[in-house]
């Protein structure tokens, strides 16, 4: 088994494991259309990923849009607060006076409101800034402080906000099925559900920070720890409730439409922070957003609502009262960061409602504009983050595999009579942040209950069994091949030995034959020499005889 074969086999097993793991966790799938809107999700995703999300994330980092003014210490008007959030992630840092743009600090109490149009005859130029708002701003301005939103991202803090969401849903008539609601009631429910979905997705996207390692950039500045996402939480909340994702898209289009409706206003608006270069850059970014393709399309038609002119003002008044009630409930949140983003997004959504449905709108506050764009950015980030949450291994591949193996171990331990520890998912999803505190113990009929199904890693067991089986087959085959190769080598060695013996025998035979031939030649040569010698001797004898005979004759 050579190195190349082993490497190829390991790569194949890794690809098989990750692909099956991903396929085994069903992604949250929804239909492509958004009910009560004129747009497809695929078109929204395309425009959001390529244009809107990029622009919004640049806009909210500008000096004008990153500072939000809020009263985070207002009292809860509905129940007694017994304990505050003690988690490190719940706290926020208020801005120093030097951080706030100078024009904002020196302006009076009414100058942060922008005149929408010349007031009708008999109306004052300015109304009290709280009267025409769709949210309740608790406490005087002196108790409100500025917070830098860019330094305080919405994330999981460990705060349980289930009581807050229960109050929001139970006190605002969300008891009938959606298909039995009238259009106005259905729109209101979808907006609250879409906002809730966006908050949940942000918590899942920014679920945990690994603060064990401190890293620094090239300038020596400390880099903020990387956020890990929680795909299991996302799956629990949305896998069996695809309508919640649809409501997120609906709310996104609703807020987008409100900004598009005031296109002319934002075109002429001066985003004044005292820095002309940055203010001009902010204005250009907003103009680019207003010119995006999706912004220019009629994705939501607000004229379809409140068609009953006789009861229109009464219905809009009820809408406003319900939304103001929701903004008051947020004062009961005991996590500062959760309360901050709750106030930002309810004010942003309330501003969108005000723009689309309030015919008597005369002014809009700077804080409302900031909340409106930041809310749209949060909704845009949530839509953009769905793909990330649909891929569990991105959370942290090693962490995810570790949790998966822990689940497998807890699942098989009872088979061996070993007591199992509590489920990893329950530990990970306990104490979910802020405005999304729904848990497995919540009422199943709640509009935002989660799946109570306990995760059993059957798929992972099958995958691991398959990998183990393939490994055994591979090793067995390798051993068999090795044994066969050994036998072949032995046979070859034996054959080589036989060939060597035959070759040696043949050589010996040849040598013997050659020796015999040589001996024969030598004998023949010797015989010939002997014969020649004999002949010579005979000749000499004859000659001797003849000479004797001659001598004898002479004597005679």
């Amino acid at each position: 088994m050579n190195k190349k074969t082993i490497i190829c086999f390991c790569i194949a097993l890794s690809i098989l494991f990750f692909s099956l793991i991903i396929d085994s966790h069903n992604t949250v799938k929804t239909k492509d259309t958004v009910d009560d809107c004129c747009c497809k999700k695929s078109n929204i995703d395309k425009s959001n990923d390529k244009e809107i999300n990029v622009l919004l994330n640049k806009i909210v980092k500008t000096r004008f849009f990153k500072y939000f003014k809020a009263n985070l210490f207002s009292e809860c008007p509905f129940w007694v607060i017994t304990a505050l959030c003690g988690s490190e992630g719940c706290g926020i840092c208020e801005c120093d006076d030097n951080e706030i743009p100078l024009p904002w600090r020196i302006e009076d109490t009414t100058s942060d409101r922008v005149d929408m149009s010349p007031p009708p005859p008999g109306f004052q130029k300015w109304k009290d800034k709280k009267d025409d708002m769709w949210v309740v701003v608790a406490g005087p301005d002196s108790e409100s402080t500025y917070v830098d939103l860019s330094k305080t991202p919405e994330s999981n803090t460990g705060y349980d906000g289930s009581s807050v969401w229960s109050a929001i849903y139970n006190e605002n008539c969300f008891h009938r099925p959606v298909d039995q609601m009238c259009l106005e009631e259905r729109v209101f429910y979808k907006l609250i559900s879409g906002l809730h979905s966006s908050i949940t997705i942000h918590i899942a996207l920014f679920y945990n920070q690994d603060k064990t390692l401190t890293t620094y950039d090239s300038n020596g500045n400390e880099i903020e720890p990387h956020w890990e996402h929680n795909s299991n939480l996302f799956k629990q909340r949305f896998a069996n409730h695809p309508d919640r994702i649809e409501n997120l898209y609906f709310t996104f289009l609703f807020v987008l439409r409100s900004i598009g409706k005031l296109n002319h206003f934002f075109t002429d608006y001066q985003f004044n922070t005292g820095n002309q270069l940055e203010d001009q850059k902010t204005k250009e970014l907003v103009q680019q957003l207003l010119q995006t393709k999706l912004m220019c399309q009629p994705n939501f038609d607000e004229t379809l609502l409140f068609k009953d002119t006789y009861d229109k003002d009464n219905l809009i008044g009820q809408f406003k009262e319900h939304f103001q009630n929701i903004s008051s409930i947020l004062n009961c949140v005991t996590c500062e960061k959760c309360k901050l983003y709750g106030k930002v997004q309810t004010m942003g959504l309330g501003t969108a409602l005000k723009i689309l449905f309030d015919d008597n709108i005369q002014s809009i506050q700077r804080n409302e504009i900031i909340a409106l764009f930041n809310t749209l950015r949060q909704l845009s980030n949530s839509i953009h983050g769905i793909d990330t949450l649909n891929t569990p291994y991105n959370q942290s591949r090693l962490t995810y595999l570790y949790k998966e193996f822990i689940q497998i171990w807890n699942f098989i331990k009872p088979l061996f009579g070993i007591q199992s520890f509590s489920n990893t998912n329950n530990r990970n999803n306990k104490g979910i942040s802020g405005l999304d505190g729904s848990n497995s113990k919540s009422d199943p009929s709640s509009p935002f209950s989660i799946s109570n199904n306990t995760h059993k890693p059957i798929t992972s067991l099958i995958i691991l069994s398959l990998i183990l089986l393939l490994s055994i087959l591979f090793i067995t085959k390798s051993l068999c091949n090795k044994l066969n190769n050994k036998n072949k080598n032995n046979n070859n060695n034996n054959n080589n030995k036989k060939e060597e013996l035959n070759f040696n025998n043949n050589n010996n035979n040849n040598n013997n034959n050659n020796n015999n031939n040589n001996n024969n030649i030598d004998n023949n040569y010797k015989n010939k020499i002997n014969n020649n010698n004999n002949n010579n001797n005979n000749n000499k004898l004859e000659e001797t005889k003849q000479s004797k005979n001659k001598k004898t004759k002479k004597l005679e």
Side-chain angles (χ1 to χ4, degrees), residues 4-251:
K4 186 176 180 180
T5 305
I6 295 174
I7 292 172
C8 292
F9 179 70
C10 292
I11 292 173
L13 283 183
S14 301
I15 294 172
L16 175 65
F17 181 77
F18 281 109
S19 62
L20 290 178
I21 281 286
I22 294 168
D23 290 340
S24 66
H25 291 76
N26 295 326
T27 57
V28 178
K29 297 180 180 179
T30 60
K31 60 183 181 181
D32 193 35
T33 56
V34 181
D35 292 341
D36 300 319
C37 288
C38 310
C39 196
K40 292 184 178 181
K41 289 193 185 72
S42 55
N43 295 335
I44 297 173
D45 290 336
K46 184 177 179 180
S47 179
N48 185 54
D49 292 342
K50 290 186 176 181
E51 299 177 311
I52 295 177
N53 187 256
V54 177
L55 288 171
L56 284 171
N57 278 291
K58 290 180 180 179
I59 288 172
V60 299
K61 290 178 182 177
T62 61
R63 189 170 172 79
F64 182 89
F65 283 101
K66 70 179 181 179
Y67 296 115
F68 180 75
K69 193 175 185 180
N71 184 353
L72 301 177
F73 304 101
S74 51
E75 296 182 358
C76 174
F78 300 104
W79 60 79
V80 177
I81 302 298
T82 57
L84 298 177
C85 177
S87 172
E88 179 184 355
C90 288
I92 60 171
C93 293
E94 300 174 1
C95 294
D96 295 331
D97 289 341
N98 293 332
E99 295 181 63
I100 309 304
L102 182 61
W104 299 8
R105 283 184 278 149
I106 63 177
E107 61 192 11
D108 58 24
T109 57
T110 60
S111 61
D112 64 342
R113 287 173 295 163
V114 181
D115 192 9
M116 293 292 295
S117 60
F123 281 77
Q124 296 179 357
K125 183 174 180 62
W126 293 109
K127 298 166 60 180
D128 183 271
K129 68 178 184 179
K130 296 180 181 178
D131 287 350
D132 62 345
M133 294 183 68
W134 280 55
V135 295
V136 175
V137 180
D141 285 346
S142 59
E143 295 180 0
S144 298
T145 55
Y146 281 98
V147 178
D148 188 346
L149 297 177
S150 65
K151 296 180 180 179
T152 314
E154 185 176 25
S155 61
N156 176 38
T157 65
Y159 171 73
D160 181 5
S162 55
S163 58
V164 175
W165 279 113
S166 296
I168 288 174
Y169 284 110
N170 293 333
E171 294 182 16
N172 291 280
C173 304
F174 299 122
H175 302 297
R176 292 188 297 171
V178 178
D179 56 356
Q180 296 180 13
M181 296 179 182
C182 64
L183 178 59
E184 290 80 6
E185 190 177 14
R186 187 166 68 246
V187 166
F188 191 80
Y189 169 77
K190 285 185 173 184
L191 291 176
I192 303 304
S193 175
L195 179 62
H196 196 170
S197 299
S198 178
I199 293 172
T200 304
I201 290 175
H202 269 84
I203 291 167
L205 280 171
F206 303 95
Y207 190 78
N208 179 55
Q209 262 186 321
D210 185 5
K211 298 182 179 181
T212 57
L213 295 175
T214 304
T215 55
Y216 300 90
D217 59 17
S218 58
N219 297 324
N221 300 319
E222 184 176 342
I223 300 174
E224 184 180 2
H226 175 70
W227 283 96
E228 293 182 346
H229 69 261
N230 188 336
S231 293
N232 288 334
L233 172 62
F234 176 72
K235 182 181 176 183
Q236 284 181 330
R237 298 297 169 89
F238 296 100
N240 297 325
H241 302 279
D243 57 296
R244 296 171 183 172
I245 297 292
E246 182 180 326
N247 294 339
L248 168 64
Y249 279 84
F250 176 86
T251 307

Side-chain angles (χ1 to χ4, degrees), residues 265-446:
F265 167 72
F266 290 119
T267 299
D268 299 331
Y269 183 67
Q270 301 299 317
F271 300 93
N272 183 25
T273 64
N275 187 323
Q276 292 185 356
L277 292 177
E278 185 164 354
D279 294 345
Q280 181 61 31
K281 178 184 175 182
T282 303
K283 188 178 182 68
E284 291 173 358
L285 289 172
V286 172
Q287 290 305 307
Q288 290 178 39
L289 177 67
L290 294 174
Q291 293 170 8
T292 56
K293 184 177 180 180
L294 192 62
M295 182 73 76
C296 299
Q297 294 176 351
N299 298 312
F300 177 77
D301 187 1
E302 68 276 8
T303 61
L304 297 177
L305 281 75
F306 307 113
K307 284 189 172 183
D308 187 353
T309 55
Y310 176 77
D311 204 30
K312 179 179 180 179
D313 291 340
N314 181 38
L315 287 174
I316 292 178
Q318 291 182 27
F319 248 60
K320 191 172 182 178
E321 287 177 6
H322 280 301
F323 206 80
Q324 288 177 339
N325 174 262
I326 292 173
S327 65
S328 296
I329 292 174
L330 290 177
N331 289 319
C332 300
V333 176
T334 58
C335 166
E336 288 185 1
K337 182 191 284 189
C338 311
K339 181 185 286 189
L340 170 64
Y341 273 92
K343 285 179 175 291
V344 170
Q345 293 175 88
T346 51
M347 181 177 284
L349 195 54
T351 304
L353 287 163
K354 171 182 173 179
I355 293 170
L356 293 180
F357 298 136
D358 195 342
D359 294 335
N360 297 321
I361 180 173
Q362 292 189 20
S363 63
I364 186 170
Q365 297 182 37
R366 181 182 62 240
N367 220 31
E368 288 179 301
I369 296 173
I370 294 169
L372 182 65
F373 278 80
N374 273 278
T375 300
L376 183 63
R377 180 254 192 162
Q378 295 298 99
L379 295 166
S380 173
N381 280 352
S382 296
I383 292 174
H384 183 71
I386 290 176
D387 285 340
T388 301
L389 291 169
N390 270 327
T391 52
Y393 67 94
N394 281 345
Q395 173 185 352
S396 171
R397 298 184 183 185
L398 294 177
T399 303
Y400 179 75
L401 291 176
Y402 168 75
K403 291 177 181 179
E404 199 66 25
F405 280 118
I406 289 296
Q407 289 172 358
I408 293 170
W409 175 239
N410 286 335
F411 182 74
I412 64 175
K413 275 197 292 188
L415 302 177
F416 300 98
I418 303 174
Q419 186 177 1
S420 178
F421 294 105
S422 59
N423 187 273
T424 306
N425 280 337
N426 293 336
R427 293 198 304 272
N428 290 339
N429 295 337
K430 185 178 179 181
I432 294 168
S433 164
L435 293 182
D436 186 61
S438 305
N439 52 51
S440 58
K441 295 181 180 180
S442 62
D443 182 7
S445 62
S446 169

